[in-house]
Amino acid sequence: MPSERLRTLPILGDRIGEIEQICAKYPERRSAILPVLWIAQKQEGWISEDAMKEVAEVVGVTAAEVYEVVSFYTMFHQHPVGRHHIALCKTLSCAVCGAHEVSAYIREKYGFDAGKSISRDGRFSIEEVECIGACTEAPAMLVGEKLHGDLTPKSIDDVLGKLD
Amino acid sequence: MPVDTFEKVYLPNIERGETEWLEEYRKQGGYEATRMALEMAPEKIVEVVKDSGLRGRGGAGFPAGMKWSFLPKGVYPRYLTVNADESEPGTCKDRPLMEQRPHTLIDGIICTCLAIESELAFIYIRGEYYNSADIMQKAVDEAYEAGLLGDDVLGSGRKVHVVVHSGAGAYICGEETALLTSLEGYRGYPKLKPPFPAVSGLYGKPTIINNVETIVSVPFILTKGAEWFKSFTHERSTGLRLYSVSGHVNKPGVYELPMTVTLREMIYDYCGGIRNGHDLKFVIPGGSSVPWLLPDQLDTVMSMEGVQAAGSFLGSAAVMVLDHTVCPVWAVTNLGAFYRHESCGQCTPCREGAAWMHKILLRLENGQGTMEDLDTLASIAGDGTPNTGMISGRSICALGDAAAWPVGSALKLFREEFEEHVKLGHCPYKNKRYWMADGKFVNETFEHHPAWGH
Ligand SMILES: Cc1cc2nc3c(=O)[nH]c(=O)nc-3n(C[C@H](O)[C@H](O)[C@H](O)COP(=O)(O)O)c2cc1C
Ligand code: SF4
Ligand code: FES
């Protein structure tokens, strides 16, 4: 029996119609686990333990199975991130086109303490990630869902400066 | 600038970067292939694709028509899965295909589903491609509305449904069996083959997996004919190919070319040569997994056979070009970090081997390595050819080989530079620094960033 809290689904509740539609697309309901996790991450910005329990409830698996999946995929955040999450590519094509410099530039200019991945004001978080499929536009980064390539100090400021 | 004597079909207007929505695609005669396929017997479609010589564009280059004919007779349902995971470093050609030609992909999916008698197709798109997934979903919605997808494709009584599915960040999910386990809602662990997915794939049912570019080729083959496709041929490589050229060329980008093109023509005629008049140091010709090529191999024909004759693989046709400022030890350490991070951890040779190699590489690049380290590294990685060393050929999937080959190849080609790191006690390239000029990031060579682990 699901607990009272889970029955009301505080995190996923208002998206339940959409979630049911997604589940119906697959021959087996378990396949909806990634799409539903994406919705959970959108709701809160990251995936908390409570969110995993709700996903388990709606998909019909155990919370442990959801955790097993969440912990495998690098794009699911298991801790809160900044209001805007930056995924900066550090793989070879970007690395030889200045990705290290981009990292240093952003970390200094946008207020990251050494070794920290969230800026002091909580506005940004940054993660140096493996190839994001924009190698011909190196160096490249994702800010939230948007891809930015051919980065220069000016283009970085144009993008990040506009965000609250 | 070379004069192209062939018509570009995949991405003729790549610079404009616009999405071709349904109305525009129809104006250009779109879904003609679907109409033709609806009139053809499934075996006939397979035959035309076989005849064209189309080989998979995802990496392994397996003949597409032959794969389709491996489906066990009379077993249903069957599934089609389009591999849009595109995570092999250097590769970025499926993204413009999905973002600019979404309906050509759907056209190809319908034709392929009719050929293999599947009623349900999945497009597994890597999580980082938010925009591609949005565009594909919108295009799929348009196609449903127009009666091209659904329970009655163009009034033919045939069913084709398409589900757009996003991954969540894992290179290994590009490997076909891992992709299927991921799509089933599990961790993306590869499985031992056989059984191959064509026999037992998604939910244990016969499943065909093809790369985006492979499926996009199908409508062109049906409408223009197998002979047209074969008019671009080098040995057993037929058709045009999308090359992603990145790194130190003046004009990096995705280039649509016949596979008769040489590496020299690609770099110097199409991509404007090496930046700042620098010298070429080495080329990674088929995505980060493959052995490297040297400047004296510029006459290599960039077909599957041509690159193999040069000692490497065309793989995903991602060509990474590195100039003389790049330390090969540093570069292979960067790739070592990638494979260490992306190993799924299921098998010991790959999991332990990738981590062990990366640790040794870090030590060498940081100037703390010894000559014994070089021998140990060679014994783990092998010599950059299949089934040498402790990993290649000993793991469940090909990621093990992919982790070993670049290291073995770098050691073989640049042994002296590795030894120099040991003798000097530091990277000989480290005296230069990155600098900024003209408001751009320019790197003359590399510096270590502790935060990056290399
Ligand atoms: C580690 C690894 C990663 C792979 N990544 C991809 C990928 O991102 N995209 C892709 O199409 N194929 C990838 N492949 C190849 C697939 O396993 C499979 O061969 C391919 O999707 C088949 O399609 P094709 O015959 O049309 O090329 C990868 C293989 C391995 C071993
Ligand atoms: S070879 Fe590596 S990636 Fe492939 S199954 Fe084994 S551990 Fe996983
Ligand atoms: S190497 Fe940076 S996007 Fe591919």
Side-chain angles (χ1 to χ4, degrees):
Chain A
M1 270 313 271
S3 69
E4 199 50 45
R5 196 198 67 81
L6 278 178
R7 217 168 293 147
T8 59
L9 300 176
I11 299 166
L12 295 176
D14 60 338
R15 309 270 309 256
I16 207 73
E18 185 189 339
I19 289 173
E20 280 309 322
Q21 275 181 3
I22 290 172
C23 292
K25 287 187 189 175
Y26 297 91
E28 293 186 12
R29 199 173 170 92
R30 179 164 180 144
S31 284
I33 211 164
L34 288 192
V36 176
L37 280 167
W38 275 116
I39 291 176
Q41 178 148 301
K42 250 198 169 141
Q43 295 293 81
E44 296 195 303
W46 63 295
I47 297 176
S48 59
E49 239 175 76
D50 284 347
M52 288 186 227
K53 286 181 191 154
E54 289 190 25
V55 172
E57 182 65 28
V58 297
V59 179
V61 296
T62 66
E65 287 175 288
V66 174
Y67 174 75
E68 195 183 297
V69 170
V70 169
S71 56
F72 186 79
Y73 298 92
T74 53
M75 293 182 78
F76 291 138
H77 306 303
Q78 292 182 64
H79 301 282
V81 291
R83 282 199 297 289
H84 308 283
H85 185 69
I86 303 167
L88 170 68
C89 174
K90 65 166 176 172
T91 312
L92 194 57
S93 293
C94 286
V96 299
C97 292
H100 296 69
E101 278 19 66
V102 175
S103 166
Y105 180 82
I106 294 175
R107 284 173 177 276
E108 191 186 323
K109 177 133 183 188
Y110 292 90
F112 289 81
D113 286 329
K116 289 281 189 296
S117 61
I118 302 187
S119 63
R120 285 187 290 276
D121 56 8
R123 194 169 151 216
F124 297 109
S125 47
I126 189 166
E127 193 182 355
E128 282 83 5
V129 299
E130 300 296 354
C131 180
I132 55 176
C135 329
T136 56
E137 300 158 55
M141 65 177 176
L142 278 162
V143 180
E145 299 190 353
K146 202 160 175 339
L147 177 68
H148 304 275
D150 296 320
L151 297 173
T152 64
K154 180 169 179 313
S155 77
I156 291 169
D157 290 341
D158 286 348
V159 172
L160 300 186
K162 277 202 211 86
L163 301 171
D164 63 346
Chain B
M1 205 41 219
V3 184
D4 292 330
T5 52
F6 60 96
E7 180 204 2
K8 292 192 169 69
V9 297
Y10 292 82
L11 293 165
N13 304 309
I14 189 169
E15 299 83 15
R16 264 192 270 143
E18 287 163 8
T19 305
E20 186 178 65
W21 295 109
L22 183 57
E23 203 190 322
E24 183 61 26
Y25 187 54
R26 280 196 154 147
K27 266 191 231 150
Q28 309 296 330
Y31 288 105
E32 181 56 30
T34 290
R35 267 183 214 96
M36 290 172 71
L38 283 168
E39 302 291 318
M40 293 162 80
E43 312 80 60
K44 180 71 192 152
I45 309 173
V46 177
E47 203 177 292
V48 174
V49 171
K50 263 190 188 164
D51 183 34
S52 75
L54 171 65
R55 288 165 67 188
R57 303 308 201 222
F62 195 83
M66 197 192 291
K67 190 192 281 186
W68 300 357
S69 61
F70 287 160
L71 288 164
K73 299 248 170 321
V75 186
Y76 302 94
R78 296 166 170 180
Y79 299 111
L80 171 65
T81 308
V82 180
N83 191 339
D85 196 60
E86 189 157 74
S87 7
E88 175 74 13
T91 320
C92 44
K93 42 94 185 170
D94 295 337
R95 182 165 55 88
L97 278 176
M98 289 188 282
E99 295 182 1
Q100 298 178 25
R101 309 296 305 271
H103 282 286
T104 317
L105 178 57
I106 299 171
D107 205 353
I109 289 173
I110 301 173
C111 297
T112 309
C113 279
L114 294 172
I116 65 169
E117 299 177 83
S118 161
E119 297 180 345
L120 181 55
F122 297 89
I123 311 174
Y124 187 105
I125 305 180
R126 65 177 301 182
E128 291 83 351
Y129 283 3
Y130 295 99
N131 193 36
S132 310
D134 276 355
I135 290 175
M136 281 317 308
Q137 186 61 57
K138 284 198 189 103
V140 164
D141 293 345
E142 277 190 324
Y144 268 104
E145 202 140 302
L148 288 153
L149 291 175
D151 286 339
D152 187 16
V153 175
L154 293 177
S156 65
R158 311 282 285 274
K159 269 192 208 177
V160 177
H161 289 268
V162 174
V163 176
V164 178
H165 185 94
S166 287
Y171 166 67
I172 193 57
C173 291
E175 195 282 331
E176 54 189 15
T177 57
L179 184 149
L180 295 179
T181 25
S182 172
L183 188 50
E184 287 172 352
Y186 297 88
R187 292 182 145 217
Y189 285 138
K191 288 183 183 155
L192 267 179
K193 295 183 274 193
F196 288 91
V199 174
S200 174
L202 191 62
Y203 314 120
K205 297 289 189 295
T207 304
I208 292 296
I209 303 177
N210 277 122
N211 174 259
V212 171
E213 190 185 339
T214 314
I215 297 293
V216 167
S217 306
V218 175
F220 298 128
I221 291 170
L222 289 186
T223 55
K224 291 174 180 287
E227 289 310 313
W228 162 81
F229 200 74
K230 284 191 287 192
S231 69
F232 314 99
T233 296
H234 181 257
E235 302 197 9
R236 286 181 302 109
S237 304
T238 58
L240 295 166
R241 186 92 196 215
L242 295 173
Y243 295 91
S244 322
V245 192
S246 66
H248 289 152
V249 287
N250 279 317
K251 288 187 291 179
V254 176
Y255 290 86
E256 180 174 342
L257 295 167
M259 282 187 267
T260 46
V261 69
T262 65
L263 184 55
R264 186 190 308 280
E265 287 163 346
M266 191 180 288
I267 295 177
Y268 292 94
D269 295 345
Y270 288 93
C271 299
I274 311 290
R275 61 159 192 176
N276 303 339
H278 284 182
D279 295 332
L280 177 63
K281 180 100 188 176
F282 62 99
V283 176
I284 310 180
S288 68
S289 307
V290 306
W292 300 355
L293 300 182
L294 293 176
D296 64 6
Q297 293 176 295
L298 277 170
D299 291 318
T300 300
V301 177
M302 295 300 283
S303 70
M304 287 167 242
E305 291 74 24
V307 179
Q308 215 164 332
S312 186
F313 298 99
L314 182 60
S316 59
V319 182
M320 298 161 115
V321 180
L322 293 310
D323 74 14
H324 72 264
T325 64
V326 179
C327 168
V329 181
W330 177 89
V332 80
T333 309
N334 178 291
L335 297 181
F338 175 84
Y339 290 105
R340 179 183 188 175
H341 182 258
E342 301 299 337
S343 166
C344 84
Q346 269 195 116
C347 26
T348 314
C350 169
R351 181 188 64 240
E352 301 300 323
W356 192 8
M357 288 192 299
H358 181 238
K359 274 186 210 157
I360 296 176
L361 286 167
L362 270 179
R363 198 153 65 221
L364 285 162
E365 172 60 4
N366 289 330
Q368 288 139 13
T370 62
M371 290 295 175
E372 275 123 62
D373 279 338
L374 297 184
D375 296 334
T376 311
L377 198 55
S379 70
I380 308 167
D383 62 4
T385 61
N387 304 323
T388 56
M390 298 181 195
I391 308 173
S392 180
R394 296 168 196 263
S395 58
I396 294 176
C397 84
L399 189 139
D401 305 74
W405 291 343
V407 180
S409 155
L411 255 177
K412 191 163 68 179
L413 301 178
F414 295 107
R415 178 87 191 189
E416 273 175 35
E417 309 218 9
F418 276 86
E419 289 178 0
E420 212 180 338
H421 282 71
V422 176
K423 287 184 200 137
L424 289 173
H426 62 82
C427 173
Y429 290 73
K430 250 175 71 181
N431 49 357
K432 294 191 220 144
R433 296 179 61 92
Y434 281 101
W435 42 283
M436 269 198 240
D438 306 330
K440 287 185 80 171
F441 295 107
V442 179
N443 60 312
E444 272 294 299
T445 186
F446 314 98
E447 260 238 297
H448 297 294
H449 264 266
W452 294 58
H454 56 73

